[in-house]
């Protein structure tokens, strides 16, 4: 049993002395003192067992609050703290920080499954002070049903880190965080709860307070100004100029830092260009291997690289107190998200540079990546109907094959429905609970409108003539905002727009690069039998395509802009522009195939027949190859949806094409399409050509979606 002392058992002077001693052990400095608000939060948690929300700037010391409070609560007989943390990288840093305060912290996450039994045994033996878990872990069936109930009975404190993720008004909403309200309701009375964030406006604060399950919440909110940051915006005409500026001035930026991009392709391409010109940088994206990400983080912390060129995958959880600069090639979609990212810099330095190089394509990219974290009514009803009709739990892949929703949006939708109580995750898959679920269209429309307004705010930040730090503080509803005296508007520009002509040529050459691989599909998706398609397992080698090529990705810095314009919603079908055709010819010239194509065949298109035909015909004419025309297609076949999942995409295309009427020559066939998305259209078209006698098939597309 754990003793739960009443507030009267804890004299305030003694508590402050204990807390200060714990703080000094944590930071390793005998002269350390509390920042304003730190002890007040600790006193609320330990002395009064309150629920508290701390909204303080990055680097203020929010982790010190919960580690010191944990130490004091444990010394008074309380059970372990459960710390809900969004990122594994954040967990690594926090475990190391906790050890300095004499706090034994352990984590349960997807990367350390081999340690779970040991962690649970240590919990049972009361040898753990802090258990770090992800919000997703709270709904893991075995953890939720077997370990969590006992842990809730013993819990000494609940900490919700990066609490803005609770709120669907926040810039980084995560449905799993909404489970915390149910967890709080299950906890014994008097267990303190702490929520922390650096990026919450008043609307998010109100939402988080509601999720904490009590209106009696101590809110400690400090000024968000960062006196060490020097904010500046430099407007340059295009991507070539921005990259040329970076090549010219990267070494002038202080120390080491982060270069943020809006897309994976931009991060990879920018890092490659900088390395080719002698800069020590590494790319860091959500597609980067986990071990490589950890290695890159460590290299930046040791100042072994000038910068990581990163997407938003490098955000919450990364802590380098002396980070010298944060630069953005393209703007995030809201001032709140921007503040969160630039807050990585200048935590323990007197000065750090924050530079924004916005692009005219930013809004298009925001729109392109705008994925609804709120459920779509028609999709939700499909999922609920499928689960309601199932006799047993359905795994996500099995459900995917029934409802025709791609894996990532389906998983997000299931999380939302789960939090709303309409579905439940069990061993073996998902089930419908039978609870009524109503689509709150008005609420979702309000959230979408708020996010559009945030995009407008970001554009206003770029063009404001007032203080930039004050602007960000005001958008975070910080009523202490005053001019900073340091930004380019307050103190005058410090960024030179000068670019050497030869550097511009180098940047233009890098952006003019063409050709990205189209990977080969080698395995049929599961669940095709449910859709009446007799395909399973590996695709027969004699029916596969070779690796293909596309001119570029829609998200690329260079050719992506022209392609996004060509494929924009509502754009007319047209002949392939000569400039794009010339670039495609360059792709073919640089391909390096083992054997040159002997003929060209095009994929029939319902939406852009003129574009595809003109591209195929143009390539054939320039390459002096016979153009055999389109594959024959069944006009009655379903069109398929661009957001459909793999099983449905295959089912839509299977049986649609017929290559038996083509006079196929000896040698490879160049198979031409406009846009490669899931790659299943090219896979099925290549299969028909191979079955009709084609020696091999080389897929080619104008663009890859991502």
């Amino acid at each position: 049993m754990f003793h739960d002392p009443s507030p009267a058992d804890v004299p305030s002077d003694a508590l402050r002395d204990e807390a200060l001693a714990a703080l000094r052990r944590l930071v390793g400095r005998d002269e350390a003192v509390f920042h304003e608000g730190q002890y007040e939060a600790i006193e609320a948690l330990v002395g009064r067992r309150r629920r508290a929300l701390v909204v303080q700037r990055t680097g203020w010391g929010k982790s010190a609050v919960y580690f010191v409070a944990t130490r004091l609560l444990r010394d008074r007989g309380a059970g372990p703290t459960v710390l809900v943390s969004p990122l594994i990288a954040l967990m690594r840093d926090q475990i190391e920080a906790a050890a300095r305060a004499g706090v034994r912290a352990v984590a349960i996450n997807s990367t350390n499954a081999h340690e779970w039994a040991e962690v649970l045994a240590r919990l049972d033996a009361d040898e753990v002070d802090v258990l770090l878990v992800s919000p997703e872990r709270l709904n893991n069936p075995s953890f939720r049903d077997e370990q969590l109930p006992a842990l809730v009975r013993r819990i000494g404190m609940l900490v919700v880190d990066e609490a803005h993720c609770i709120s669907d008004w926040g810039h980084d909403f995560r449905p799993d965080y909404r489970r915390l309200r149910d967890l709080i309701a299950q906890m014994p009375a008097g267990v303190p709860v702490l929520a922390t964030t650096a990026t919450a406006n008043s609307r998010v604060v109100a939402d988080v307070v509601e999720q904490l399950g009590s209106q009696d919440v101590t809110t400690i909110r400090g000024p968000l100004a960062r006196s060490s940051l020097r904010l500046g915006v430099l407007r340059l005409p295009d991507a070539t100029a921005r990259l040329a500026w970076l090549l010219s001035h990267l070494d002038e930026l202080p120390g080491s830092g982060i270069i943020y991009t809006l897309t994976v392709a931009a991060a990879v391409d920018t890092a490659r260009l900088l390395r080719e010109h002698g800069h020590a940088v590494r790319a860091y994206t959500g597609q980067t291997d986990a071990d490589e990400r950890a290695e890159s983080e460590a290299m930046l912390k040791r100042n072994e690289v000038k910068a990581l060129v990163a997407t938003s995958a490098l955000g919450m959880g990364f802590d380098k107190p002396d980070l010298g600069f944060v630069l953005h090639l393209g703007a995030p979609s809201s001032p709140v998200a921007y503040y969160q990212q630039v807050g990585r810099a200048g935590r323990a330095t007197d000065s750090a540079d924050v530079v924004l190089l916005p692009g005219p394509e930013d809004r298009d990219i925001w729109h392109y990546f705008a994925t609804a974290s709120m459920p779509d009514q028609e999709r939700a009803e499909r999922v609920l109907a499928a689960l309601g009709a199932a006799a047993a739990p359905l795994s996500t892949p099995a459900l995917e094959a029934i409802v025709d929703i791609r894996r990532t949006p389906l998983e997000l939708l299931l999380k939302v429905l789960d939090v709303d109580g309409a579905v439940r995750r069990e061993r073996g898959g998902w089930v419908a609970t039978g609870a009524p679920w109503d689509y709150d269209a008005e609420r979702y429309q309000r959230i979408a409108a708020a996010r559009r307004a945030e995009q407008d705010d970001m554009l206003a930040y770029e063009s404001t003539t007032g203080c930039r730090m004050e602007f960000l503080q005001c958008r975070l509803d910080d009523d202490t905002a005053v001019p900073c005296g340091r930004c380019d508007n307050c103190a005058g520009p410090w960024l030179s727009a000068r670019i050497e002509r030869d550097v511009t040529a180098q940047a233009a050459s890098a952006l003019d690069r063409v050709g990205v691989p189209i990977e080969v599909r080698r395995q049929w998706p599961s669940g095709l039998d449910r859709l009446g398609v007799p395909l399973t397992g590996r695709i027969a080698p004699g029916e596969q395509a070779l690796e293909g090529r596309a001119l570029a990705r829609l998200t690329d810095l260079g050719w992506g802009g022209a392609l996004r314009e060509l494929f924009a919603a509502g754009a007319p079908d047209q002949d392939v522009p000569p400039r794009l055709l010339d670039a495609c010819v360059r792709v073919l010239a640089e391909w390096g195939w083992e054997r040159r194509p002997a003929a060209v065949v095009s994929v029939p298109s319902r939406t852009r027949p003129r574009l595809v035909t003109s591209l195929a015909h143009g390539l054939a004419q320039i390459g002096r190859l016979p153009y055999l025309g389109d594959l024959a297609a069944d006009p009655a076949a379903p069109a398929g949806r661009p957001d459909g999942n793999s099983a449905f995409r295959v089912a839509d295309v299977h049986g649609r094409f017929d290559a038996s009427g083509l006079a196929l020559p000896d040698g490879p066939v160049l198979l031409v399409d406009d846009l490669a998305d899931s790659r299943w259209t090219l896979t099925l078209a290549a299969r028909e050509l191979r079955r009709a006698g084609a020696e091999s098939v080389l897929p080619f597309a104008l663009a890859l979606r991502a």
Side-chain angles (χ1 to χ4, degrees):
M1 296 293 293
F2 292 90
H3 175 55
D4 185 11
S6 68
D9 295 331
V10 189
S12 59
D13 290 344
L15 181 63
R16 177 180 281 275
D17 291 343
E18 287 182 68
L20 187 59
L23 174 73
R24 289 171 174 173
R25 288 197 302 272
L26 175 67
V27 300
R29 292 189 290 109
D30 291 340
E31 72 280 7
V33 296
F34 286 113
H35 296 152
E36 183 178 352
Q38 282 182 317
Y39 176 71
E40 289 76 8
I42 293 167
E43 193 276 332
L45 296 165
V46 179
R48 293 182 286 133
R49 302 301 177 92
R50 294 284 298 274
R51 296 177 182 179
L53 168 61
V54 172
V55 183
Q56 296 282 0
R57 66 183 183 275
T58 303
W60 173 84
K62 294 180 286 294
S63 62
V65 171
Y66 49 73
F67 285 137
V68 170
T70 292
R71 183 68 274 155
L72 270 55
L73 288 166
R74 291 289 280 163
D75 289 345
R76 287 161 174 74
T81 291
V82 175
L83 171 54
V84 180
S85 182
L87 291 180
I88 293 170
L90 186 60
M91 293 182 184
R92 289 195 298 266
D93 286 344
Q94 288 176 323
I95 288 172
E96 294 174 4
R100 294 195 295 270
V103 173
R104 299 164 295 182
V106 296
I108 290 181
N109 58 55
S110 59
T111 69
N112 70 342
H114 59 289
E115 299 175 358
W116 291 356
E118 178 186 350
V119 169
L120 295 173
R122 290 181 60 190
L123 277 168
D124 289 340
D126 195 29
E127 296 174 353
V128 171
D129 299 318
V130 177
L131 175 66
L132 294 96
V133 297
S134 68
E136 292 78 13
R137 182 61 41 190
L138 298 175
N139 200 41
N140 175 275
S142 61
F143 182 81
R144 181 194 64 209
D145 299 336
E146 297 171 15
Q147 282 87 42
L148 190 58
L151 187 60
V152 167
R153 289 193 295 270
R154 300 171 49 206
I155 190 169
M157 179 170 65
L158 174 67
V159 177
V160 183
D161 207 4
E162 306 295 349
H164 60 271
C165 297
I166 291 178
S167 175
D168 48 23
W169 299 102
H171 71 275
D172 196 19
F173 170 65
R174 301 188 181 192
D176 286 294
Y177 261 72
R178 285 280 185 177
R179 303 184 208 285
L180 293 168
R181 183 170 190 163
D182 294 336
L183 175 61
I184 291 169
Q186 298 169 28
M187 296 190 317
V191 174
V193 179
L194 172 65
T196 70
T197 182
T199 50
N201 57 24
S202 296
R203 183 166 48 195
V204 173
V205 167
D207 202 7
V208 173
V209 167
E210 180 185 352
Q211 297 306 312
L212 293 183
S214 171
Q215 293 305 310
D216 187 23
V217 174
T218 298
T219 300
I220 297 174
R221 183 165 190 167
L224 298 178
R226 294 286 306 279
S227 60
S228 63
L229 300 184
R230 181 167 61 163
L231 304 176
V233 175
L234 187 61
R235 289 182 169 276
L236 297 168
D238 52 32
T240 298
R242 294 197 300 276
L243 282 182
W245 186 92
L246 190 57
L247 285 170
S248 301
H249 298 281
L250 177 58
D251 286 337
E252 299 169 10
L253 296 174
S256 56
I258 301 171
I259 301 168
Y260 278 110
T261 68
L262 296 185
T263 69
V264 170
V268 172
D269 291 347
T270 301
R272 181 184 62 207
L273 172 64
L274 291 172
R275 283 196 305 270
E276 288 174 352
H277 289 82
H279 297 284
V281 301
R282 288 168 71 107
Y284 187 110
T285 77
Q287 296 180 14
T288 307
D289 178 78
D291 291 338
E292 184 179 340
R293 289 201 302 269
E295 180 184 40
S296 294
E297 291 174 23
M299 291 178 71
L300 182 59
K301 289 179 180 180
R302 296 191 299 263
N303 295 315
E304 295 173 357
V305 292
K306 179 66 175 178
L308 297 185
V309 187
T311 63
S312 58
L314 182 64
M316 292 182 300
F318 181 74
D319 184 16
K320 177 177 166 58
D322 63 341
L323 198 73
F325 67 89
V326 170
L327 182 145
H328 282 77
L329 287 176
S333 60
S334 77
V336 179
Y338 186 61
Y339 177 88
Q340 193 259 342
Q341 290 181 353
V342 303
R344 308 259 73 80
R347 295 185 182 188
T349 60
D350 293 333
S351 181
D353 284 353
V354 173
V355 182
L356 173 61
L357 304 180
E361 72 280 3
D362 290 352
R363 188 183 278 278
D364 290 339
I365 294 176
W366 299 338
H367 177 75
Y368 177 79
F369 281 114
T371 56
S373 52
M374 301 301 108
D376 172 270
Q377 182 173 7
E378 188 270 335
R379 287 184 171 191
E381 290 172 349
R382 264 190 282 153
V383 168
L384 293 175
L387 292 177
L394 289 176
S395 68
T396 305
L399 183 60
E400 184 183 15
I402 296 172
V403 298
D404 189 17
I405 304 172
R406 286 190 180 184
R407 183 71 54 88
T408 298
L410 175 60
E411 289 174 341
L412 181 59
L413 176 56
L414 286 166
K415 288 178 180 181
V416 173
L417 293 174
D418 187 4
V419 172
D420 287 348
V423 305
R424 178 178 171 84
R425 187 180 174 196
E426 296 186 351
R427 292 181 184 273
W430 295 89
V431 298
T433 64
W437 182 83
D438 294 321
Y439 181 74
D440 193 345
E442 182 181 354
R443 174 169 168 262
Y444 301 141
Q445 289 169 2
R446 291 200 311 271
I447 294 169
R451 291 180 179 165
R452 288 192 297 270
E454 288 178 341
Q455 294 178 8
D456 292 338
D457 284 344
M458 195 64 222
L459 297 175
Y461 170 82
E462 297 169 11
S463 60
T464 184
T465 57
C467 173
R468 297 195 192 277
M469 180 59 75
E470 183 181 25
F471 183 99
L472 294 177
Q473 288 179 261
C474 289
R475 290 308 183 271
L476 282 157
D477 296 322
D478 178 2
D479 57 13
T480 69
V482 294
C484 71
R486 290 174 56 85
C487 72
D488 57 352
N489 286 338
C490 286
W494 82 95
L495 298 168
S496 168
R498 179 187 55 81
I499 302 172
E500 298 294 338
R501 182 174 299 179
D502 61 333
V503 176
T504 300
Q506 293 167 3
S509 176
L511 291 175
D512 195 42
R513 284 179 177 150
V514 296
V516 292
I518 299 176
E519 296 180 7
V520 180
R521 289 281 193 183
R522 302 188 187 280
Q523 186 85 16
W524 296 116
S526 59
L528 288 176
D529 56 330
R530 297 172 179 264
L531 302 175
V533 178
L535 299 173
T536 185
R538 286 184 60 81
I539 300 174
E543 297 180 354
Q544 292 181 14
L546 298 175
E547 182 183 76
R549 292 290 187 276
L551 169 57
R553 299 177 184 87
L554 287 178
T555 55
D556 282 351
L557 285 176
W559 289 95
L563 292 172
R564 287 193 298 273
E565 183 177 340
L566 190 66
F567 290 98
D573 185 24
Q574 60 179 290
D575 287 347
V576 61
R579 178 170 170 259
L580 290 178
L581 178 59
D582 291 343
C584 291
V585 172
R586 288 168 49 204
V587 176
L588 300 187
E590 297 171 8
W591 194 322
W593 44 52
E594 292 184 5
R595 191 174 175 193
R596 189 176 188 271
V600 178
V601 173
S602 53
V603 176
S605 172
R606 285 190 172 99
T607 57
R608 299 181 187 88
R610 185 174 169 183
L611 177 64
V612 174
T613 300
S614 65
L615 174 62
H617 187 270
L619 293 177
Q621 188 175 43
I622 293 171
R624 298 182 180 179
L625 299 171
Y627 173 45
L628 306 183
D630 283 344
L631 285 168
D634 179 2
R641 291 175 300 186
D643 59 350
N645 64 36
S646 287
F648 273 81
R649 297 292 283 274
V650 171
D652 287 345
V653 180
H654 181 253
R656 179 183 171 196
F657 301 130
D658 181 8
S660 61
L662 297 177
L664 298 173
D666 293 335
V669 172
L670 184 68
L671 178 63
V672 176
D673 202 357
D674 55 355
L675 177 64
D677 187 357
S678 69
R679 292 171 283 134
W680 285 117
T681 295
L682 286 171
T683 299
L684 271 295
R687 178 175 182 260
E688 291 306 309
L689 286 167
R690 294 297 306 276
R691 285 158 62 94
E695 171 190 304
S696 59
V697 177
L698 296 162
F700 179 81
L702 261 179
L704 279 177
R705 185 170 292 279

